[in-house]
Amino acid sequence: MKREATAQGHSHRRTTYWGSENMAKVAFIGLGVMGYPMAGHLKAKGGHDVTVFNRSAAKAQKWVDAHGGAHAATPREAAKDADFVFCCVGNDDDVRSVTYGDDGAFAGMKPGAMLIDNTTASAELARELAEAASAKGFKFIDAPVSGGQAGAENGALTVMCGGEQGDFDAAKPVIDAYAKMVGLMGPAGAGQLTKMMNQICIAGLVQGLSEAIAFGKKSGLDIENVVSVISKGAAGSWQMENRHKTMDAGQYEHGFAIEWMRKDLGICLAEAKRNGATLPVTALVDQFYAEVEAMGGKRWDTSALLARLER
């Protein structure tokens, strides 16, 4: 792989990983519902040399059978010689488990390599990883995503990044393989804080939409007819456009699971305690989601807030 040692980036110089083949050596850790297709886009659309790691080796082998590339037995082995190491796992503890330790990614990364964490985790963890990476001679970007499973499969995710400008400039062309929008929000942790804002907005929107649909049904209105009108005005939202039909039909076996939304809202509420923000609606909707979980809806889509109102 040919490399260009440096390139002019804004008012400073930065390292770049691009050569004439437009290819980087990439590791991807975590092949869940999001990571599996994201890694696939890095290989197929990005044209990168991809090695994957997953706790279930069978899942990693399945990915290799479908996409090519290679899989490794540990995060350390996957990260060896990689220019970029992507991580998309469950929570803070999961990120630490695949990053630190003798078999962690940091143990295998070469100087100058970059860890890009797509996990929705705490801003505190992002700052911790940025400091640890810097001490070891690595680069780090927190890069949580929004767009759900469909966005991951279609390579159309929104990616919210925290880190240094030069590192972002080097990473963005690689991230573009699975994204429709990639933005730098500020220093390490800013990507995670932006994702928190995203989830806070969604929680309130879905509860409002659920109440509106429940109200409309009680009033004897045709929900599809109503939404065809109000979705074109100030009430319109992605949730309304993409979820009203399944909500009206009582179908929730799809989309972003409530248990993961509650994990995200827990991160939001914990950060609010740290920074002094008040999140009364978010806290209330989190309680409503707990009720839906008690109804057996742990794996239901987040739009299942309507099911709680229709009990």
Side-chain angles (χ1 to χ4, degrees):
M1 181 177 66
K2 296 180 182 178
R3 292 191 190 173
E4 181 181 309
T6 57
Q8 196 65 33
H10 300 275
S11 60
H12 55 274
R13 297 177 70 81
R14 62 177 174 85
T15 301
T16 183
Y17 299 89
W18 296 119
S20 59
E21 299 93 344
N22 248 14
M23 184 188 78
K25 185 169 174 54
V26 171
F28 203 102
I29 299 169
L31 300 176
V33 295
M34 301 294 286
Y36 191 99
M38 290 164 69
H41 289 303
L42 286 165
K43 182 73 171 66
K45 192 191 300 184
H48 303 298
D49 178 4
V50 181
T51 298
V52 298
F53 166 80
N54 194 64
R55 282 182 295 187
S56 164
K59 187 76 170 289
Q61 183 60 56
K62 179 183 177 183
W63 186 92
V64 171
D65 291 343
H67 300 284
H71 71 89
T74 65
R76 176 179 181 167
E77 291 178 29
K80 184 180 179 183
D81 295 326
D83 300 311
F84 298 94
V85 179
F86 288 83
C87 178
C88 190
V89 292
N91 55 38
D92 285 27
D93 289 341
D94 292 331
V95 175
R96 290 188 178 99
S97 73
V98 298
T99 306
Y100 298 140
D102 292 342
D103 289 328
F106 278 168
M109 289 171 65
K110 64 185 180 182
M114 188 184 306
L115 177 68
I116 300 172
D117 185 19
N118 293 128
T119 309
T120 295
S122 69
E124 196 172 34
L125 174 66
R127 299 182 192 109
E128 173 192 315
L129 287 172
E131 185 175 341
S134 179
K136 294 177 178 292
F138 309 141
K139 302 175 188 303
F140 173 79
I141 289 179
D142 52 296
V145 302
S146 179
Q149 184 175 350
E153 292 173 350
N154 295 325
L157 293 169
T158 295
V159 188
M160 299 150 267
C161 299
E164 298 296 324
Q165 182 70 58
D167 297 340
F168 173 78
D169 292 342
K172 184 180 181 300
V174 187
I175 296 173
D176 278 340
Y178 57 77
K180 68 175 180 181
M181 173 64 192
V182 186
L184 180 63
M185 302 294 101
Q192 297 295 356
L193 292 170
T194 302
K195 179 63 184 286
M196 292 176 211
M197 288 182 63
N198 186 80
Q199 302 306 76
I200 290 166
C201 289
I202 290 173
L205 285 168
V206 176
Q207 178 61 21
L209 179 59
S210 298
E211 292 182 14
I213 292 176
F215 176 88
K217 286 185 169 185
K218 290 286 188 182
S219 302
L221 293 172
D222 182 313
I223 300 302
E224 182 65 27
N225 189 37
V226 171
V227 170
S228 70
V229 174
I230 68 172
S231 64
K232 305 304 185 291
S237 68
W238 186 97
Q239 297 293 335
M240 183 179 287
E241 288 280 3
N242 292 276
R243 291 289 180 261
H244 77 274
K245 289 183 180 180
T246 50
M247 291 171 74
D248 189 26
Q251 298 172 355
Y252 305 114
E253 302 291 342
H254 61 273
F256 189 59
I258 284 172
E259 67 173 324
W260 290 111
M261 184 60 157
R262 290 208 69 209
K263 183 267 289 186
D264 292 357
L265 295 183
I267 292 171
C268 297
L269 293 167
E271 184 64 32
K273 284 185 178 179
R274 280 191 285 270
N275 68 20
T278 304
L279 304 177
V281 174
T282 303
L284 186 60
V285 174
D286 182 54
Q287 293 176 32
F288 292 162
Y289 275 131
E291 293 180 28
V292 180
E293 284 187 326
M295 293 167 56
K298 191 174 184 181
R299 296 294 302 168
W300 290 353
D301 179 72
T302 51
S303 61
L305 285 171
L306 177 59
R308 172 185 165 275
L309 297 174
E310 294 185 330
R311 282 178 296 182

